[in-house]
Amino acid sequence: MSRDRSGSSGPKIAVLDYGIGNLRSAEKALQHVGAAARLVTDPGEVASADAVVLPGVGAFGACARALRDSGLEQVARQAIAAGVPFLAVCIGFQLLYDGSDESPGVAGLGVFSGQVIPLAPSVKHPQMQWNQLDVIGSNSSVAPAPLRGLGDKPWVYFVHSYAPPVGAETVAVCDYGGAVAALVARENVWGAQFHPEKSGRSGLGLLANFVALAAAA
């Protein structure tokens, strides 16, 4: 995994490709902000990466099963445990939790405690729109690492019908029938419910912050 298609000499980022959709846009967005990013299907290639990205589209259960069947679940767990910078996006973000009401009986990675549940019944499903992030927590006056340099209440793009609970790991929410967990950050693990690669300048800024984390690791 020495170089990506763009020839970047930046940090090596493995985008886990476990057959759940076209991930080229995520790969290209990471390359755009300086990473030597590439799609990875071979578990053996993940060990040489400076950082790992777990994307996900579709249904929780289908993604969880595909990740396991691909052989990439174990290396994802190993990367998280080893302190490798790890970014999970959309359904990949939901997979960080114990499970989801969308797919009863299917286990997630259990990195964070809690069950992914449907969005409030009072709002349209899915949330398919731009929405603003509100930083929460004891340090809400200071931008968390993923949002540094993005300004106050950045706009990002969401496509989802489920979300995990707001917990101690949550650093930003959006308002959609109430506070919805939109971004988490704990040690080496970041998770975004929105799509950074579809979120314009704000999304590229978050990815650039992740690349900087990978470069410093």
Side-chain angles (χ1 to χ4, degrees):
M1 194 169 155
S2 57
R3 299 183 75 84
D4 71 292
R5 295 177 183 84
S6 68
S8 172
S9 58
K12 302 170 186 176
I13 298 184
V15 181
L16 301 184
D17 182 359
Y18 54 105
I20 47 77
N22 180 11
L23 307 178
R24 197 71 66 197
S25 59
E27 179 193 40
K28 288 185 176 297
L30 286 160
Q31 292 172 355
H32 182 75
V33 295
R38 62 179 291 184
L39 302 181
V40 169
T41 57
D42 181 357
E45 291 190 79
V46 179
S48 64
D50 299 309
V52 177
V53 174
L54 173 62
V57 293
F60 182 97
C63 286
R65 285 187 287 267
L67 184 65
R68 292 183 181 119
D69 291 346
S70 70
L72 292 170
E73 178 188 10
Q74 188 59 32
V75 292
R77 289 182 181 276
Q78 290 169 350
I80 292 169
V84 175
F86 193 95
L87 171 63
V89 175
C90 196
I91 304 299
F93 165 54
Q94 295 178 13
L95 289 175
L96 294 176
Y97 289 81
D98 294 324
S100 174
D101 286 0
E102 183 180 25
S103 305
V106 178
L109 296 173
V111 177
F112 303 124
S113 297
Q115 185 81 357
V116 177
I117 61 174
L119 296 172
S122 59
V123 293
K124 182 179 178 181
H125 292 205
Q127 175 179 204
M128 188 181 298
Q129 63 173 20
W130 292 82
N131 205 338
Q132 286 183 287
L133 299 180
D134 284 303
V135 176
I136 64 169
S138 59
N139 295 317
S140 59
S141 62
V142 178
L147 300 180
R148 285 175 186 161
L150 274 62
D152 188 40
K153 296 187 177 183
W155 288 89
V156 293
Y157 190 73
F158 291 84
V159 183
H160 68 122
S161 295
Y162 292 78
V166 175
E169 71 282 357
T170 309
V171 296
V173 299
C174 70
D175 182 9
Y176 195 68
V180 174
L183 182 68
V184 301
R186 179 187 290 172
E187 299 175 346
N188 59 307
V189 181
W190 296 4
Q193 179 60 74
F194 54 91
H195 287 270
E197 77 281 5
K198 297 179 181 179
S199 296
R201 183 177 299 178
S202 294
L204 290 176
L206 183 146
L207 293 178
N209 287 336
F210 183 68
V211 171
L213 178 70

